[in-house]
Amino acid sequence: MAGAARSRRAVRAAGAAAAGAAASAVPEVPMPLPVPVGSAAWRRAGLAGAAIGVLAAGAAAGVAIERLTVGRGMRRKARLALDAAGPYGALRGVPGKTRADDGTELYYEVDEAEGAPAGGAPGRPPVTVVFSHGYCLNQDSWHFQRAALRGLVRTVHWDQRSHGRSARGAAQRGPDAVPVTIDQLGRDLKAVLDAAAPEGPLVLVGHSMGGMTVMALAEQYPELVRDRVVGAAFVGTSCGNLGEVNYGLPVAGVNAVRRVLPQILRALGSQAELVEKGRRATADLFAGLVKRYSFSSAEVDPAVARFAERMIESTPIDVVAEFYPAFNEHDKAAALAVFAEVPSLALAGQQDLVTPSSHTEAIAALLPDAELVLVPDGGHLVMLEHPEAVDRLLLRLLDRVGALPASAQDPDPDSCRTGGS
């Protein structure tokens, strides 16, 4: 009976979250931590940890309630089957490591082009396309684009600090830890470029936090952009004003989140082991949140959705806490002037709840040579949700800057609606 009562309470709580009321429950996380494992307070902390962890990666509230009507054992078997069968994230390149200016070890992989360098004379360095991933993801989030470009052009994929195979940020450890900044991520990208692509033309591609990283690189190293960058793609990202994003929540809910989230994240980050147990215990709630805030289409391959869920759930809550404050401080609109003469792509899912498409329109307005594309029925992880459209658009950009070999066909220009209207 007690178990049934707990199940009913869980369903009611999830229903409230789906209606946008989850934000008002955030302050219920007990202070101070720790709390006894197994207690009601522990369960609330676990639910809050799950919700906040996904919020940081592209989710704030809302649940796929139908998932809660399926038996837990069946859901677990389905997840295991998808994990075993899904090839997503299996592509690997030549590995490399370098160190950031604070000593953090950064991991990257290189996929070399086959045959002669595109558009270059013999002996000249090839164009290198460098992919920077988003918050709580890793380099594998570019799986489809990596597959589409493999062998055509030289590519570099790297894991941002504290993500994927890169080490935890050195400056974020110990009693003298300092918060992560977007500027630091820009310097990290510079370290990767110095190691993996020290010469030759560059095309920089960034999704969400990765796009902000590219902007930070330009702000701190404008001469590098002017001298070497021949193309840029900003995917589902923002140049500022992220504090105004409402994540699809009602006004009261988003205001509550903004008031308490920084303190809640600090508290949860200090009790990472407890919160991770809570996230695992609420895996189905977590999966519903990921799906709502990562995708818009109702026809997303379940294996792709599970792939995104795995990437996001692999990010520890203390890493979520370390990075979150940087986004409210992010303001790189002025840095985009460095890309004024660079052929660019400004791309977003039209239904993105995390970095709304209006932010991409703002980026395009600051880039005279940018192609603006809003993908209908696309969410925040548009490169996973609509990979064919994103692949074609990236190929079109690469063709535009002369980065493709002559044998590559110009992609269909009518494959996707372009422009902001």
Side-chain angles (χ1 to χ4, degrees), residues 67-159:
R67 291 179 65 91
L68 301 179
T69 66
V70 181
R72 177 170 301 193
M74 185 179 298
R75 291 194 300 270
R76 181 174 180 273
K77 289 179 181 178
R79 284 197 297 271
L80 290 174
L82 289 172
D83 286 348
Y88 305 121
L91 297 177
R92 299 267 66 89
V94 177
K97 294 180 181 179
T98 190
R99 290 195 178 273
D101 58 0
D102 68 349
T104 300
E105 187 175 80
L106 303 172
Y107 177 85
Y108 63 86
E109 295 179 359
V110 179
D111 289 348
E112 297 290 353
E114 298 176 359
R124 296 191 62 181
V127 175
T128 300
V129 186
V130 183
F131 288 85
S132 299
H133 68 78
Y135 186 28
C136 297
L137 300 171
N138 59 54
Q139 63 175 271
D140 293 338
S141 61
W142 297 108
H143 173 86
F144 292 107
Q145 292 69 48
R146 187 171 190 169
L149 297 181
R150 208 160 210 197
L152 288 178
V153 293
R154 185 176 192 266
T155 62
V156 172
H157 295 77
W158 68 292
D159 292 328

Side-chain angles (χ1 to χ4, degrees), residues 246-335:
N246 64 17
Y247 302 103
L249 292 169
V251 174
V254 75
N255 287 341
V257 168
R258 288 172 182 158
R259 280 197 308 271
V260 304
L261 191 54
Q263 300 95 314
I264 294 287
L265 279 171
R266 282 196 297 271
L268 294 177
S270 69
Q271 296 293 319
E273 183 177 354
L274 170 65
V275 176
E276 293 307 323
K277 290 180 180 178
R279 288 211 301 191
R280 289 192 293 272
T282 56
D284 294 299
L285 172 63
F286 188 92
L289 288 165
V290 170
K291 186 174 181 180
R292 171 173 168 77
Y293 282 88
S294 297
F295 307 108
S296 173
S297 171
E299 299 179 358
V300 175
D301 181 350
V304 171
R306 175 59 183 151
F307 173 47
E309 181 188 340
R310 287 202 317 272
M311 281 190 287
I312 294 171
E313 70 187 5
S314 70
T315 307
I317 189 65
D318 46 340
V319 172
V320 173
E322 289 167 7
F323 277 73
Y324 178 78
F327 300 110
N328 279 339
E329 299 171 4
H330 171 62
D331 182 0
K332 292 288 184 278

